[in-house]
Amino acid sequence: YIPDELDRVFGDPRVRVVFADGRFFTKQKAADGEPAYDVIIVNLPNPGTILINRFFTKEFFGEAQSLLKPDGVFSTRLAFSPDYLGRELENLGASVYQSLHSVFNHVVVLPEYEIFYIASQQRPAILKERLEQRGIKARFATAQYIDYRLTTDRIPQVLKAFRENTSARINRDEQPAACF
């Protein structure tokens, strides 16, 4: 029951929908050893359980990174509060940030009421330029919106809090730190 505009995306030969456990899928693909993806997007709720937490660990990020092409991009998100950064939310955000940074060379955070993490091995190219080069016409991620999201004053504030956080730990499969 999705709109026709979104349904057309699934007709694109580059799109393949896999009905499987995402962690099992990445483990299988990582074992194959063939980087095949330009982008991996994980869109899950915050890691409130061990089941979901396994998609926010250093091990999972490592498996995902091994599936990306050299200039590939990984993205995930958390529900967030840009107006008040309580200790629990700061620890969660910092844990995911540290876990990503332990695998990827570059991690960009985009905090709003959801915080998006964009990670890659190479410094990500300017997103606006990529949209232009590829002729992608987006209604939501416009050049103006990208400028706003990449320059908001909340980014340095949140990064400072994450980097100075001494209680957050890297989230691991065997030592979960991002869920309670």
Side-chain angles (χ1 to χ4, degrees):
Y1 299 103
I2 60 175
D4 290 340
E5 182 178 315
L6 292 176
D7 192 39
R8 283 192 296 274
V9 170
F10 295 109
D12 187 312
R14 298 171 295 177
V15 175
R16 187 171 139 236
V17 178
V18 177
F19 294 98
D21 177 83
R23 188 67 191 266
F24 179 73
F25 177 79
T26 56
K27 279 183 186 290
Q28 272 188 320
K29 286 294 191 184
D32 294 346
E34 184 74 26
Y37 298 97
D38 295 312
V39 177
I40 295 175
I41 300 171
V42 176
N43 185 18
L44 291 170
N46 286 15
T49 67
I50 295 295
L51 185 64
I52 296 174
N53 184 71
R54 63 200 178 110
F55 293 98
F56 293 89
T57 64
K58 177 180 180 170
E59 292 81 6
F60 173 70
F61 296 151
E63 291 163 2
Q65 187 275 325
S66 74
L67 299 177
L68 289 170
K69 293 178 181 175
D71 63 345
V73 175
F74 176 87
S75 179
T76 191
R77 58 161 288 285
L78 295 172
F80 200 68
S81 173
D83 301 322
Y84 173 71
L85 192 56
R87 186 44 120 193
E88 294 84 6
L89 192 55
E90 180 185 323
N91 283 343
L92 171 61
S95 177
V96 171
Y97 176 79
Q98 291 173 14
S99 301
L100 278 166
H101 221 292
S102 70
V103 172
F104 291 94
N105 292 331
H106 301 282
V107 179
V108 175
V109 296
L110 304 174
E112 284 291 334
Y113 289 97
E114 290 184 311
I115 185 168
F116 290 95
Y117 297 85
I118 301 172
S120 65
Q121 289 305 89
Q122 300 177 3
R123 183 168 297 284
I126 302 300
L127 297 176
K128 292 187 309 183
E129 289 176 13
R130 281 191 175 185
L131 289 174
E132 237 174 71
Q133 288 169 351
R134 294 179 172 129
I136 297 171
K137 303 291 184 216
R139 291 191 338 208
F140 178 72
T142 63
Q144 295 82 6
Y145 181 73
I146 291 170
D147 280 340
Y148 164 72
R149 285 305 301 261
L150 293 175
T151 58
T152 176
D153 62 346
R154 291 178 171 153
I155 294 170
Q157 292 170 346
V158 169
L159 276 176
K160 182 177 189 288
F162 287 176
R163 289 177 179 151
E164 293 178 359
N165 185 310
T166 57
S167 56
R169 297 173 302 153
I170 291 178
N171 191 29
R172 308 292 306 254
D173 282 344
E174 300 294 326
Q175 297 170 340
C179 69
F180 299 99

